[in-house]
Amino acid sequence: MGLVGRRRGAPGGAVFAAAAAVALMQIVLLVTPTGAQQSNGTSRVVPAEGYCSMYGICAHRSDGKVLNCANSTKAVKPDTLFSTRIQSLCPTITGDVCCTVDQFDTLHQQVQQAVPFLVGCPACLRNFLNLFCEMSCSPNQSLFVNVNSVKQVNNTTTVDGIDYYITSNYGEELYNSCKEVKFGTLNTRAMDFLGGGAKSYKEWLAFLGRQANPNEPGSPYLITYRPDLSDSSGVKPLNATVYSCGDPSLGCSCGDCPSSSVCTGSLLPQLQTESSCSVKMGSLKAKCLDFSLVVVYLVLLCAILLWGLLYRTRGRKSFPTQTKPPKNADDKLRSNNNGNVPENSVQVSRAASSSIIQTYMSTFFRLDSVSSCIYIIFYNWCLGIVLICSKYCRRHGIFVTRHPLLVLSASLLVPILLCIGLIHFKVETRPEKLWVSPGSQTADEKQYFDSHLAPFYRIEQLVLATSASDQSEAPTIVNDNNLKLLFQIQKKIDDLRAIYSGSVVSLADICLKPLSTDCATQSVLQYFQLDPKNYEDLGIDHAKFCFQHYSSDVTCLSTFQSPVDPSTVLGGFPGSNFTEASAFVITYPVNNKVEKTGQENEKAMAWERAYINLVKEEILPMVLAQNLTLSFSSESSIKDELHRESTADAITIVISYIVMFAYISFTLGDRPPHFSSLFVSSKVLLGLSGVVLVMLSVLGSVGFFSAIGVKSTLIIMEVIPFLVLAVGVDNMCILVHAVKRQPDGLVLEERISNALMEVGPSITLASLAEVLAFSVSAINPMPATRVFSMFAAMAVLLDFLLQVTAFVALIVYDFRRAEDGRIDCVPCARLSSSAVAGDNGGHQGLHLVARYMKDVHGPILGYRAVKFIVIAVFVGFAFASIAMSTRLQPGLEQKIVLPRDSYLQGYFNDLEKYLKVGPPLYFVVKDFNYSSASENTNQICSINQCNSNSLLNEIARQSLSPETSYIAKPAASWLDDFLVWMSPEAFGCCRKFVNGNYCPPDDQPPCCEKDSGSCNPNGACNNCTTCFLHSDLHNGRPSTTQFKEKLPWFLDALPSSDCSKGGKGAYSTSLDLSGYENGIIEASAFRTYHTPLNKQTDYVNSMRAARDFSSQMSKDLQMQIFPYSVFYIFFEQYLSVWKTAIMNICVCLGTVFIVCFVVTSSLWASAIILIVLAMIVLDLMGVMAVLGIQLNAISIVNLVMSIGIAVEFCVHITHAFMTGIGDRENRARQALSTMGASVFSGITLTKLVGVIVLRFAKSEVFVVYYFQMYLALVLIGFLHGLIFLPVVLSLCGPPQKTMKPIEQSQTPPSNEQT
């Protein structure tokens, strides 16, 4: 269920990538000077080959940045060593150069910051380096670089701005070679960092051309990139060779260059949305299934109509005639016996002539001797069961009447003993234990992920939003007052203290700290490092600046040294216009631990409870005072609110039971002729006793399973009492009414025994069918439905046993009480004989409902036109329900399962309204073999020389189709970053001292070894070299030993400006190093994100798409790969919810059919019951689709339960029909007048009055899944059982049963006193 499937992606990639890319904003701008549009009147240098526009370093800015000399000197020939150094970085520069050694050293130092971003795509890196090599050192610099602005520094003319002329074709190809290069650490593109998210080459060059402010990374002067010139000024725009990212010699990966010829087609089939078949008829368009159902329905109607016409014209000539009793014979019998069928009529019905089934069989088939023998044996065996059941019921009735106290005591002893098990009663509230089977794939994957990597962090979240006025959009929340309010809220959160086990707990004690320093709080205040003083100095404009440059400006970095994506801290903005955001989203990630004893996260939960109280009591009033809205949540909020919900509707449920009890007492009582005898004829005590027996059966069931260690669930406590009441009350009414129908002249013993003989088989049949159906349904792997089926089967079984023992004994006592004139509920008191005179012993004529069924309902259904209309309407509804049921959506909305007044209602609404990111998605690779002999490395990575169909390349390709794959971004890859970090090109990353120890980047103190003089005066490390030369690697890949030695270095390396690829923080929990020395990494995860998921179907479809993708990749790469997201464990059930529902329904229906067939010995009757039950379930599913009720564990439980209740509607009517007298029409009317009244009174009205009370429940789940579904079930069951079923029976019902008369016992009644 969707209880904890909430959007956990709110913190975004910045939290998990916390340390990656840290201070690398604008690193490219450090490479070369930048230009400006403005000129200060500097004269234009005449362009000429072999001449420079600027040469040498003349001065430094106040922040230490070097300033080039505005010098139009001739290019200088470098010495051999200098020329070799230039060639190593700028292979296109040969001969003379326009840069000094110091200039080249500055260039070399600065480009090392850009290399880690681009080294995975050599073509892009080469083009990028050439752009600045040509500008800095080209011997023909004056042809395309013009100094347009100078300034005097220390009496020296320095460059303050340049024009850089390039062709538009060069700029376009340069941009195309780099635009798709990934920066996996933050699940984004390198262009977001090196180009400010540029969408064209002009935007990129304009970004690179900005002049840096003092103490900010970037160039000390401006560059204006000029397009092609049409004049004859002598300028020759740079049009150097640009390498395509698809160039085989400088091959980029498919993830960095999707347009490459080797990457045009994925080896995976593209994930597609399901397309449904449709039929067009003019302007109308219908699904093929709907169209087919309409055609079949029309054909059936025509067939039924044709059959009716032929039947009417030809009569029944083709069928053997039946002996019909005189018209109204049954009425005459009843009128002579006070409305009750005399005993001899019951015997006649059981002693009718041989079965019509045999007549039909002999008429239409010629059976050989063997077949006939088998049939006769089977038929007689089944018939023997019915006879044995009837005889037993009669003898049982006699025994109970003679020994009521013994039977009552013995029968109550069993459930009371079972109730002892309630001392071990426990309720299972953990969602993963309710909705996930122990051996489920997702449960195993979650356990693997948590044990090998790390459990997903806990989420504490606030959402502040502006309110929209009437018919207008919500105003922006980004203003001065709201940011100041946010600082006040942040201070309260920081100052919050909770007490756990006598110790004080603060946010800093439990929060997630990627670099072990500061909390990874996700807030817009991070653009000011959570410091109000910074906000006072910089103002709100700085926040707006950071919205656009969060990834490229060091002043926008968070306190935990990571860029903060504005889409994760803002909400409600159109497109990428963050300044128009209408909501702040503040997220506090908290460390999570794997729960083994249930106490591991108690410390965090203590703080969370204090946090919720703080928000409710202090922060919420502050926000409302500013005319803003506030929603909030903690990790434990859902669990706490569900616990509160479990008691919120206790009063409503109790009232529902009381109303049902009151109705039961009313319907069981007689209609006294005098008001004074009402106190005698009422049966309140009997009704109360019956309800107590029902509750005992439920408690006995719960006690039994509690004793053997099975935990109960809230569904059991809420559903099973209703189920057992429905079944039990129906049986109570049937038993009491059957006794009342017996002739007055018979002694109580005969009335009880005859009543049990009459209705006992049908009660047994119905109860046995329900018990077996629920028992077989216990094979369901879903714990919630399996446990429900187990508890329901036991409860129905106990209730049946108590009904035919204890309740029959109570009926004996109650009728003796009425005969003695004792007052109901006060049996010690007795009315005078005159007060009860004329009461006829409590036996009156037919009740109002029975008279309606006999005199109105039955005759109306007897009209042929009515029958045709009933068949047409009910079959039509069944076909429509089939079509509608295909539209049922799996899931369980989180807002429905919570109380209506829960603070989480507003929170989930705001998430759906404002959140712009999806949950994190991990692709986990098991047993990654990194040895040189294995191809696993190239099968996973996505940099150059990786396989085109590698895992990460395919993930990047799937992210290009987010509408079907639900993958929003390329994956962050520790493997890619590790390979880049080791690469000799990334010369600022993997470095070592002469003795082989790790040497950190220059900008990460301490760079010196202990007791060593390996530092120069400015703090840079001396004697450090790259870890490897190209010759040390094999095709750019490390050996097994190199991989094993350097991987811990990478994971301990802090990212910084000099090397953004350090793995500390970003990948600390992305792989399991246990036993990796053997060449196998047991578990490694590659993180990406789902697209924003707003509906339950989005969650289900995203999980299905990820699983399909992983399954195909595992097959293609011969590796074990599985997807993992925090919500998967709760939504796995919905991947197979249809299979689960159909399996449970079919198993229940099949069980009912078999039981009916065995007990009734009639395949005909069993088939009719099966068809009607199936129609009831189909109609209920159709109503669910119309009402928007989703398919989940609760609705499956209700569907299974509906079969159990629907059996009550059908079995009793069918049994009464089969034991009736006369033709089908008369027997259908008899069934309605006897059992129909009991079914209507005992189950329809009882459930109706109880269900209506649930409409006023506080929890939406009660209103939707209990009130709406139960109400639909009662109405559908009533209509099918008392309208459709009698019509079907009157048209094609089974023949009446053939039984030998059962001799009545002449034993005198017992004299046992009550």
Side-chain angles (χ1 to χ4, degrees):
M1 92 181 227
L3 295 183
V4 258
R6 47 190 271 222
R7 254 163 297 220
R8 301 254 195 161
V15 171
F16 266 89
V22 172
L24 12 117
M25 326 317 141
Q26 286 284 14
I27 57 176
V28 177
L29 303 182
L30 296 176
V31 175
T32 57
T34 26
Q37 303 276 344
Q38 199 69 17
S39 174
N40 63 355
T42 308
S43 61
R44 172 77 170 91
V45 177
V46 177
E49 292 186 3
Y51 280 85
C52 307
S53 295
M54 50 187 178
Y55 183 83
I57 297 176
C58 296
H60 293 79
R61 286 202 324 180
S62 59
D63 58 0
K65 288 185 171 64
V66 298
L67 296 173
N68 289 346
C69 304
N71 191 346
S72 56
T73 185
K74 184 176 174 58
V76 178
K77 182 177 180 61
D79 59 34
T80 303
L81 177 60
F82 185 28
S83 177
T84 302
R85 293 184 60 201
I86 292 176
Q87 283 287 302
S88 66
L89 184 67
C90 308
T92 59
I93 306 298
T94 58
D96 298 341
V97 295
C98 285
C99 60
T100 64
V101 173
D102 290 338
Q103 282 181 297
F104 180 80
D105 287 342
T106 301
L107 173 66
H108 191 276
Q109 178 184 358
Q110 293 173 339
V111 296
Q112 77 175 23
Q113 300 171 356
V115 168
F117 285 92
L118 306 176
V119 69
C121 182
C124 169
L125 178 61
R126 175 48 49 207
N127 295 334
F128 186 82
L129 293 178
N130 286 348
L131 176 68
F132 295 102
C133 286
E134 293 289 343
M135 185 175 68
S136 299
C137 296
S138 173
N140 301 318
Q141 188 184 69
S142 64
L143 290 178
F144 47 82
V145 174
N146 173 51
V147 177
N148 61 21
S149 178
V150 297
K151 65 178 179 180
Q152 297 294 319
V153 178
N154 298 329
N155 298 321
T156 302
T157 302
T158 63
V159 175
D160 192 45
I162 64 173
D163 292 327
Y164 191 175
Y165 296 92
I166 62 172
T167 64
S168 57
N169 181 66
Y170 176 86
E172 189 72 38
E173 292 185 3
L174 172 67
Y175 174 77
N176 288 338
S177 68
C178 295
K179 65 180 181 180
E180 297 294 342
V181 176
K182 305 185 307 298
F183 181 60
T185 310
L186 289 183
N187 298 96
T188 186
R189 305 288 179 185
M191 191 60 66
D192 292 338
F193 292 86
L194 304 184
K199 304 300 181 183
S200 66
Y201 84 91
K202 292 182 178 179
E203 292 182 11
W204 187 21
L205 296 179
F207 179 83
L208 296 177
R210 297 185 306 153
Q211 184 177 24
N213 294 322
N215 299 312
E216 291 184 2
S219 171
Y221 44 86
L222 301 173
I223 300 176
T224 301
Y225 288 92
R226 299 290 187 181
D228 300 339
L229 294 180
S230 58
D231 56 18
S232 56
S233 60
V235 172
K236 293 183 178 180
L238 180 66
N239 193 22
T241 301
V242 178
Y243 297 95
S244 168
C245 65
D247 191 325
S249 63
L250 294 170
C252 300
S253 70
C254 293
D256 292 332
C257 185
S259 61
S260 174
S261 59
V262 299
C263 307
T264 52
S266 170
L267 297 184
L268 288 177
Q270 186 68 27
L271 298 174
Q272 298 290 343
T273 55
E274 295 183 1
S275 57
S276 57
C277 172
S278 60
V279 177
K280 287 187 177 181
M281 295 172 290
S283 60
L284 297 178
K285 183 178 180 181
K287 292 184 177 180
C288 292
L289 176 62
D290 299 346
F291 179 77
S292 302
L293 290 173
V294 171
V295 172
V296 174
Y297 174 64
L298 293 177
V299 171
L300 281 177
L301 278 188
C302 294
I304 294 173
L305 182 60
L306 180 61
W307 174 81
L309 294 176
L310 293 175
Y311 183 84
R312 184 174 184 179
T313 56
R314 296 177 58 186
R316 301 185 180 180
K317 298 178 182 179
S318 300
F319 298 92
T321 58
Q322 285 183 264
T323 303
K324 298 182 181 180
K327 187 176 182 180
N328 295 330
D330 186 51
D331 298 348
K332 292 179 180 180
L333 288 172
R334 290 185 182 277
S335 63
N336 294 330
N337 292 277
N338 294 328
N340 296 294
V341 179
E343 178 69 17
N344 57 356
S345 69
V346 177
Q347 298 295 342
V348 170
S349 69
R350 290 170 171 77
S353 59
S354 61
S355 172
I356 297 178
I357 288 185
Q358 297 177 7
T359 308
Y360 287 165
M361 297 293 286
S362 61
T363 302
F364 294 106
F365 302 97
R366 287 185 174 274
L367 299 177
D368 56 50
S369 58
V370 177
S371 300
S372 300
C373 183
I374 294 176
Y375 171 77
I376 292 172
I377 292 174
F378 176 76
Y379 181 83
N380 289 332
W381 177 76
C382 294
L383 190 59
I385 294 178
V386 178
L387 292 174
I388 293 173
C389 183
S390 298
K391 289 180 180 180
Y392 172 78
C393 290
R394 178 174 182 80
R395 292 173 181 174
H396 175 70
I398 295 174
F399 180 82
V400 174
T401 308
R402 293 177 178 178
H403 310 286
L405 183 59
L406 174 63
V407 172
L408 182 62
S409 302
S411 59
L412 291 179
L413 183 62
V414 175
I416 290 175
L417 290 177
L418 291 177
C419 288
I420 298 176
L422 291 174
I423 61 177
H424 301 289
F425 174 75
K426 292 181 181 180
V427 177
E428 184 62 80
T429 58
R430 291 173 294 176
E432 65 272 15
K433 297 296 183 180
L434 292 175
W435 317 119
V436 183
S437 58
S440 75
Q441 177 181 342
T442 302
D444 293 341
E445 291 169 352
K446 182 181 186 301
Q447 192 277 333
Y448 187 90
F449 186 92
D450 290 348
S451 60
H452 286 81
L453 302 173
F456 197 78
Y457 51 84
R458 304 172 70 88
I459 294 295
E460 333 296 341
Q461 205 163 49
L462 296 170
V463 180
L464 279 76
T466 56
S467 300
S469 57
D470 296 338
Q471 297 181 351
S472 64
E473 295 183 357
T476 178
I477 198 171
V478 185
N479 60 44
D480 183 67
N481 290 335
N482 294 336
L483 282 173
K484 290 180 178 178
L485 172 64
L486 205 55
F487 273 111
Q488 297 176 28
I489 294 174
Q490 183 61 45
K491 186 176 187 306
K492 287 186 174 294
I493 298 293
D494 290 336
D495 294 341
L496 176 63
R497 298 293 184 271
I499 304 299
Y500 173 70
S501 297
S503 60
V504 178
V505 182
S506 66
L507 177 62
D509 298 325
I510 59 175
C511 69
L512 180 69
K513 299 177 181 179
L515 298 182
S516 303
T517 52
D518 296 280
C519 295
T521 300
Q522 295 291 292
S523 171
V524 69
L525 300 183
Q526 287 287 11
Y527 297 133
F528 306 97
Q529 292 74 50
L530 302 179
D531 190 346
K533 294 182 179 179
N534 290 344
Y535 177 71
E536 293 176 2
D537 296 338
L538 299 174
I540 194 173
D541 289 338
H542 179 69
K544 296 179 179 179
F545 170 80
C546 290
F547 293 163
Q548 304 301 324
H549 306 98
Y550 70 95
S551 61
S552 57
D553 197 289
V554 69
T555 62
C556 300
L557 287 180
S558 63
T559 56
F560 54 98
Q561 295 300 299
S562 174
V564 176
D565 189 339
S567 65
T568 66
V569 297
L570 298 172
F573 48 85
S576 298
N577 191 1
F578 300 116
T579 57
E580 297 300 319
S582 57
F584 289 141
V585 181
I586 305 97
T587 307
Y588 302 98
V590 171
N591 287 316
N592 203 359
K593 298 179 181 179
V594 178
E595 290 196 357
K596 297 180 180 178
T597 64
Q599 304 296 319
E600 288 78 6
N601 291 303
E602 286 294 326
K603 187 176 181 180
M605 293 173 65
W607 187 90
E608 288 167 355
R609 286 189 288 269
Y611 157 77
I612 293 297
N613 290 334
L614 174 71
V615 175
K616 288 181 177 179
E617 296 172 3
E618 299 185 30
I619 297 179
L620 183 59
M622 293 169 53
V623 174
L624 296 179
Q626 297 290 332
N627 293 322
L628 300 176
T629 64
L630 175 66
S631 60
F632 51 95
S633 170
S634 72
E635 183 71 20
S636 55
S637 289
I638 291 180
K639 182 179 179 181
D640 293 342
E641 288 298 280
L642 287 177
H643 178 72
R644 183 171 73 89
E645 180 199 34
S646 64
T647 58
D649 289 308
I651 296 178
T652 305
I653 296 174
V654 171
I655 293 175
S656 177
Y657 288 149
I658 291 174
V659 171
M660 285 191 288
F661 159 68
Y663 174 77
I664 293 167
S665 301
F666 169 78
T667 192
L668 290 181
D670 296 320
R671 293 177 294 105
H674 306 289
F675 178 78
S676 58
S677 61
L678 173 64
F679 300 103
V680 175
S681 62
S682 68
K683 299 192 180 300
V684 174
L685 187 58
L686 182 62
L688 176 61
S689 302
V691 173
V692 170
L693 294 180
V694 170
M695 293 299 103
L696 267 179
S697 65
V698 175
L699 294 176
S701 174
V702 175
F704 171 76
F705 286 107
S706 297
I708 62 176
V710 180
K711 292 184 178 180
S712 181
T713 67
L714 294 178
I715 291 181
I716 289 173
M717 307 311 297
E718 295 159 354
V719 178
I720 288 185
F722 275 86
L723 169 65
V724 182
L725 267 176
V727 175
V729 170
D730 189 27
N731 292 340
M732 289 159 54
C733 290
I734 290 173
L735 285 169
V736 173
H737 291 168
V739 175
K740 289 180 181 180
R741 285 197 299 269
Q742 303 306 313
D744 295 339
L746 296 178
V747 295
L748 182 59
E749 180 179 296
E750 292 299 326
R751 289 197 302 237
I752 295 293
S753 61
N754 288 343
L756 281 178
M757 188 175 65
E758 178 185 344
V759 300
S762 65
I763 291 177
T764 303
L765 170 60
S767 299
L768 183 61
E770 292 159 359
V771 170
L772 291 179
F774 286 129
S775 299
V776 176
S777 296
I779 64 174
N780 191 327
M782 188 183 297
T785 54
R786 183 180 67 250
V787 172
F788 165 79
S789 298
M790 294 162 53
F791 278 69
M794 175 62 76
V796 172
L797 176 61
L798 289 176
D799 180 65
F800 164 70
L801 295 176
L802 289 175
Q803 293 291 335
V804 298
T805 54
F807 190 71
V808 173
L810 290 171
I811 291 177
V812 172
Y813 281 121
D814 187 77
F815 272 74
R816 289 180 180 177
R817 174 198 59 78
E819 290 175 353
D820 291 344
R822 298 180 183 274
I823 298 177
D824 190 22
C825 298
V826 190
C828 296
R830 177 184 297 176
L831 292 180
S832 62
S833 59
S834 60
V836 294
D839 194 18
N840 294 327
H843 303 286
Q844 293 83 25
L846 293 176
H847 282 231
L848 177 63
V849 176
R851 290 204 307 270
Y852 164 78
M853 291 290 177
K854 178 177 181 297
D855 300 334
V856 179
H857 193 76
I860 290 177
L861 294 181
Y863 291 107
R864 193 169 300 276
V866 173
K867 292 180 180 180
F868 178 79
I869 293 174
V870 167
I871 296 295
V873 170
F874 277 81
V875 173
F877 272 117
F879 276 78
S881 296
I882 294 174
M884 292 303 300
S885 62
T886 61
R887 293 165 171 81
L888 276 175
Q889 297 295 329
L892 179 61
E893 293 293 342
Q894 302 165 98
K895 294 180 288 186
I896 288 181
V897 300
L898 297 169
R900 292 177 178 176
D901 59 349
S902 172
Y903 61 87
L904 291 178
Q905 296 285 359
Y907 172 73
F908 287 126
N909 288 334
D910 285 351
L911 286 189
E912 184 175 339
K913 183 177 181 181
Y914 298 117
L915 212 61
K916 299 294 184 180
V917 294
L921 167 63
Y922 301 87
F923 288 97
V924 181
V925 178
K926 291 184 177 182
D927 299 330
F928 164 39
N929 187 346
Y930 63 80
S931 64
S932 304
S934 172
E935 287 294 322
N936 282 179
T937 298
N938 287 337
Q939 288 178 321
I940 296 175
C941 66
S942 62
I943 60 175
N944 61 308
Q945 299 185 16
C946 297
N947 295 355
S948 61
N949 68 324
S950 69
L951 172 64
L952 294 171
N953 279 334
E954 291 293 348
I955 293 174
R957 188 176 287 111
Q958 292 297 326
S959 69
L960 301 177
S961 304
E963 64 282 353
T964 56
S965 68
Y966 294 90
I967 297 176
K969 301 179 179 181
S973 169
W974 67 266
L975 181 59
D976 283 356
D977 285 356
F978 174 54
L979 295 176
V980 169
W981 182 83
M982 292 182 62
S983 172
E985 285 87 353
F987 41 80
C989 292
C990 185
R991 306 195 307 171
K992 62 182 178 180
F993 290 110
V994 176
N995 62 4
N997 292 336
Y998 173 65
C999 177
D1002 290 337
D1003 59 351
Q1004 292 185 21
C1007 68
C1008 307
E1009 291 187 289
K1010 293 182 179 180
D1011 303 325
S1012 171
S1014 58
C1015 281
N1016 62 23
N1018 63 8
C1021 294
N1022 293 328
N1023 303 323
C1024 287
T1025 60
T1026 58
C1027 292
F1028 304 107
L1029 301 176
H1030 284 287
S1031 58
D1032 297 330
L1033 304 177
H1034 178 67
N1035 292 328
R1037 297 290 181 261
S1039 66
T1040 305
T1041 302
Q1042 293 168 341
F1043 198 111
K1044 177 172 57 178
E1045 290 178 351
K1046 298 303 183 287
L1047 183 58
W1049 287 17
F1050 166 73
L1051 295 176
D1052 286 335
L1054 288 169
S1056 63
S1057 295
D1058 281 357
C1059 180
S1060 63
K1061 293 295 185 179
K1064 187 176 180 61
Y1067 300 118
S1068 298
T1069 59
S1070 293
L1071 63 164
D1072 182 8
L1073 293 184
S1074 302
Y1076 88 104
E1077 298 87 355
N1078 299 322
I1080 301 294
I1081 296 177
E1082 290 188 21
S1084 59
F1086 302 92
R1087 184 195 68 253
T1088 180
Y1089 290 88
H1090 278 302
T1091 54
L1093 308 175
N1094 296 320
K1095 299 180 296 184
Q1096 296 285 293
T1097 52
D1098 293 338
Y1099 285 96
V1100 177
N1101 291 336
S1102 65
M1103 181 179 181
R1104 180 181 290 110
R1107 278 196 169 180
D1108 292 344
F1109 171 77
S1110 297
S1111 176
Q1112 187 63 42
M1113 289 303 303
S1114 298
K1115 180 180 178 180
D1116 291 345
L1117 302 181
Q1118 297 298 305
M1119 302 174 69
Q1120 297 183 65
I1121 304 170
F1122 69 85
Y1124 174 77
S1125 190
V1126 68
F1127 68 88
Y1128 281 3
I1129 192 169
F1130 305 110
F1131 282 83
E1132 183 189 33
Q1133 56 178 306
Y1134 303 124
L1135 295 180
S1136 58
V1137 68
W1138 271 107
K1139 178 182 178 181
T1140 301
I1142 293 174
M1143 181 185 72
N1144 277 272
I1145 292 171
C1146 291
V1147 166
C1148 288
L1149 291 176
T1151 305
V1152 171
F1153 173 78
I1154 293 173
V1155 173
C1156 290
F1157 178 55
V1158 171
V1159 175
T1160 64
S1161 71
S1162 173
L1163 182 64
W1164 198 334
S1166 303
I1168 291 177
I1169 293 175
L1170 177 65
I1171 292 172
V1172 176
L1173 291 179
M1175 291 177 65
I1176 291 175
V1177 175
L1178 282 174
D1179 285 357
L1180 184 58
M1181 295 176 70
V1183 171
M1184 287 173 57
V1186 172
L1187 297 178
I1189 300 175
Q1190 295 171 310
L1191 192 63
N1192 48 55
I1194 299 177
S1195 54
I1196 290 176
V1197 167
N1198 287 343
L1199 289 172
V1200 172
M1201 185 189 71
S1202 69
I1203 298 175
I1205 295 179
V1207 166
E1208 299 288 332
F1209 282 107
C1210 301
V1211 167
H1212 299 304
I1213 298 292
T1214 305
H1215 180 266
F1217 174 84
M1218 295 178 66
T1219 57
I1221 304 174
D1223 61 6
R1224 293 190 182 96
E1225 193 70 42
N1226 285 332
R1227 285 188 286 137
R1229 293 189 185 185
Q1230 292 173 26
L1232 282 174
S1233 63
T1234 54
M1235 286 300 176
S1238 298
V1239 170
F1240 180 76
S1241 302
I1243 183 170
T1244 305
L1245 295 183
T1246 305
K1247 289 296 294 178
L1248 198 60
V1249 296
V1251 165
I1252 290 175
V1253 178
L1254 295 180
R1255 176 61 182 85
F1256 305 99
K1258 295 180 181 179
S1259 302
E1260 192 70 17
V1261 69
F1262 271 88
V1263 175
V1264 174
Y1265 288 96
Y1266 298 135
F1267 168 70
Q1268 292 183 1
M1269 285 196 70
Y1270 283 12
L1271 181 62
L1273 169 60
V1274 171
L1275 296 179
I1276 293 172
F1278 159 72
L1279 293 173
H1280 281 78
L1282 299 181
I1283 297 179
F1284 179 72
L1285 179 59
V1287 169
V1288 172
L1289 292 175
S1290 67
L1291 290 175
C1292 55
Q1296 64 190 58
K1297 283 187 179 180
T1298 300
M1299 287 188 185
K1300 297 179 181 179
I1302 301 174
E1303 299 296 336
Q1304 294 192 24
S1305 174
Q1306 302 299 323
T1307 307
S1310 172
N1311 294 323
E1312 182 178 346
Q1313 299 299 318
T1314 60

